[in-house]
């Protein structure tokens, strides 16, 4: 009889786990609390060779249109002059582009939408998931892929919560054709970085409608990191009716006065081609930047993966890649355990605790320049970090972002 795995969470980590477990001969069922598609939710996303390898392994459809290649990073001053440019190849995509390719790999009969996990029960031989509608599912293993606010983690590690980094990220997406020609020329083949005092903003092209990666048909994505003291956060994330939304407010509920102030500041802080991107973003998104570390990932027959276990700040561009590597390591460790589930889980935990810690630590290093603005006493050296150094160090040193034609050819992309 095939072993049964219950996967909680139907986003990136859950979808990749489902594909890999099925390929390894497990009976997988995936439970996602949201009904319908998650496509509308994400924005820009960093692609790595490791992610593409896992996508290929689960048979997710991908081709060169998976992302837009950037050859260099350009630091653009507020005066519109290039302050520094560095050859640093990378690839940017859209969250929805990767999500859709993965979603299509999971058959409808094993994807159970509208299932909100409430708690987990287990004994020596198996595990049960109990849902808000009162139903129950049983398996040999439960994979928690339920994200940064994981219900499963809260049951086993109630004291572990996301930690606020001291700054927020404003994000937005604009059709490239709606931008001035000078903006389109500036972002062609480049990630453009701007550094208003104590802040950081990145602008780049990502695939457009219908996965179009041709110049003029793509979209332009920006993320703008702005320090915000913890005391100011509550107001930023409170809607016009007075309701507070924690660390991520639904975009239509962001108070218009905050959007107006953000756009007015963009007009002063950035050169016109970059200010135009912010100005034209119809519905900006706002997120408090947090990170998360867990001291343990395995609890009997329950295992934490993806954002449920570790969340690095976005500067390493590795959220989805980490979800892919967790899923791959889990399935391969169980296979190497040869039917001894406990041994397989122990090997997974050893490997991914170390990986998660290193990734979070590096993302904190990269974000220290921003964090130091609200915590100057704690991080005095980071206050003075040079933008050219930030650009050099950006990304995850453990991962392959440089998707050279040779790398891609090896995958037959
Ligand atoms: C809305 C959204 C937008 C994002 N946008 C970006 C982006 O633009 N760029 C980027 O780099 N990263 C983005 N991320 C983060 C990125 O997706 C994650 O880092 C990466 O995919 C790994 O996440 P995950 O699958 O572990 O968790 P998540 O992507 O957070 O998914 C967790 C899933 O679990 C489900 N879930 C939660 N609780 C329960 C429960 N009790 N029962 C059942 N299901 C539950 C959630 O509905 C969700 O679908 C986004 C995440 C989300 C949720």
């Amino acid at each position: 009889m095939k072993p049964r795995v219950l996967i909680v969470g139907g986003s990136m980590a859950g979808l990749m786990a489902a594909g890999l477990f099925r390929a390894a001969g497990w009976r997988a069922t995936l439970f996602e609390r949201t009904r319908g598609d998650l496509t509308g939710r994400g924005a820009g996303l960093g692609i790595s060779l490791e992610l593409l390898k896992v996508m290929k392994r689960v048979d997710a459809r991908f081709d060169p249109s998976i992302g837009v290649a950037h050859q260099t990073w350009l630091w653009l001053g507020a005066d519109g002059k290039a302050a520094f440019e560095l050859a640093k190849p990378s690839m940017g995509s859209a969250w929805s582009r990767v999500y859709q390719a993965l979603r299509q790999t999971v058959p409808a009969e094993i994807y159970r939408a509208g299932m909100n996990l409430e708690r987990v029960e287990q004994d020596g031989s198996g595990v049960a998931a109990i849902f808000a509608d009162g139903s129950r599912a049983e398996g040999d293993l439960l994979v928690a892929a339920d994200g940064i606010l994981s219900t499963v983690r809260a049951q086993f590690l109630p004291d572990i919560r996301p930690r606020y980094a001291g700054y927020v990220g404003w994000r937005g997406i604009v059709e490239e054709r709606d931008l001035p020609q000078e903006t389109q020329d500036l972002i062609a083949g480049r990630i453009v970085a701007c550094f208003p005092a104590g802040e950081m903003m990145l602008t780049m092209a990502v695939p457009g409608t219908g996965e179009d990666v041709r110049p003029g048909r793509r979209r332009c994505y920006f993320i703008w990191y702005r320090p915000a003291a913890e005391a100011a956060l509550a107001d930023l994330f409170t809607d016009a009716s007075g309701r507070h939304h924690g660390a991520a407010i639904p975009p239509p509920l962001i108070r218009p006065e905050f959007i107006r102030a953000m756009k007015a500041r963009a007009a002063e802080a950035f050169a016109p081609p970059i200010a135009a991107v912010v100005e034209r973003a119809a519905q900006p998104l706002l997120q408090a930047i947090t990170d998360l570390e867990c001291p343990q990932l395995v609890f009997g027959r329950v295992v934490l993966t993806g954002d449920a276990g570790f969340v690095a700040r976005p500067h390493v561009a590795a959220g989805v890649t980490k979800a892919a590597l967790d899923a791959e390591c889990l399935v391969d460790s169980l296979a190497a355990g040869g039917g001894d589930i406990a041994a397989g889980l122990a090997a997974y935990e050893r490997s991914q605790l170390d990986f998660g810690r290193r990734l979070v630590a590096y993302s904190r290093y990269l974000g220290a320049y921003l964090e130091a603005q609200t915590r100057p006493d704690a991080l005095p050296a980071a206050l003075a970090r040079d933008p050219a150094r930030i650009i050099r160090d950006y990304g995850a040193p453990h991962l392959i972002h440089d998707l050279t034609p040779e790398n891609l050819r090896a995958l037959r992309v």
Side-chain angles (χ1 to χ4, degrees), residues 50 316 325 354-355 357-363 395-401:
E50 290 84 351
V316 285
L325 292 174
D354 176 60
F355 176 57
R357 281 180 187 138
R358 283 188 295 133
L359 205 57
V360 170
Y362 195 71
S363 76
H398 335 72
L399 302 175
I400 301 166
H401 289 292

Side-chain angles (χ1 to χ4, degrees), residues 290-303:
T290 56
D291 56 38
L292 176 94
E293 273 192 290
C294 282
Q296 192 181 340
L297 295 173
V298 174
F299 308 87
R301 293 294 181 99
V302 176
V303 54

Side-chain angles (χ1 to χ4, degrees), residues 7-16 31-34 38 40-46 93-96 99 111-112 114-119 131 144-152 171 221 285 287 305-312 314 317-324 326:
I7 299 167
V8 180
S11 174
M12 305 293 200
L15 294 172
M16 288 187 273
F31 302 92
E32 165 57 47
R33 83 170 152 206
T34 310
L38 307 182
R41 294 172 153 197
L45 183 75
S93 187
W95 194 86
S96 57
Y99 168 79
Y111 187 99
R112 308 265 316 270
M115 299 295 287
N116 187 9
L117 179 96
E118 267 193 0
R119 67 176 197 285
F131 296 93
D146 53 345
I148 190 167
L149 299 178
S150 169
T151 307
V152 179
R171 295 184 290 159
Y221 167 71
L285 290 76
Q287 199 183 0
T305 67
D307 284 5
F310 283 88
V311 178
V320 178
T321 296
K322 183 192 162 290
D326 280 356

Side-chain angles (χ1 to χ4, degrees), residues 1-6 21 25-29 125-127 137-142 301 341:
M1 185 90 131
K2 287 181 174 180
R4 293 162 306 168
V5 58
L6 312 174
F21 269 102
W26 289 63
R27 272 188 296 158
T29 312
S125 61
V127 58
E138 294 185 350
D140 300 292
L141 177 66
L142 185 140
R301 293 294 181 99
I341 292 181

Side-chain angles (χ1 to χ4, degrees), residues 3-159:
R4 293 162 306 168
V5 58
L6 312 174
I7 299 167
V8 180
S11 174
M12 305 293 200
L15 294 172
M16 288 187 273
L20 292 172
F21 269 102
R22 272 159 46 83
W26 289 63
R27 272 188 296 158
T29 312
L30 192 152
F31 302 92
E32 165 57 47
R33 83 170 152 206
T34 310
R35 290 184 193 279
D37 201 82
L38 307 182
T39 299
R41 294 172 153 197
L45 183 75
I47 294 278
S48 67
L49 192 66
E50 290 84 351
L51 173 63
L52 294 182
K53 280 184 180 159
V54 173
M55 289 182 75
K56 187 176 172 83
R57 214 172 138 181
V58 298
D59 252 345
R61 180 186 55 85
F62 67 92
D63 53 46
S65 75
I66 188 76
V68 174
H70 311 292
Q71 279 76 45
T72 67
W73 278 65
L74 175 76
W75 166 19
L76 189 76
D79 57 2
K81 293 197 180 115
F84 173 73
E85 187 158 18
L86 179 74
K88 187 167 170 143
S90 63
M91 192 176 265
S93 187
W95 194 86
S96 57
R97 171 72 177 85
V98 175
Y99 168 79
Q100 278 161 356
L102 289 171
R103 180 69 185 84
Q104 284 160 11
T105 65
V106 177
E109 61 273 21
I110 70 155
Y111 187 99
R112 308 265 316 270
M115 299 295 287
N116 187 9
L117 179 96
E118 267 193 0
R119 67 176 197 285
V120 176
E121 288 175 2
Q122 58 181 327
D123 56 28
S125 61
V127 58
I130 291 97
F131 296 93
D133 64 1
S135 65
R136 179 185 177 94
E138 294 185 350
D140 300 292
L141 177 66
L142 185 140
V143 174
D146 53 345
I148 190 167
L149 299 178
S150 169
T151 307
V152 179
R153 188 189 66 239
Q155 179 176 334
F156 292 95
L157 294 172
D159 296 332

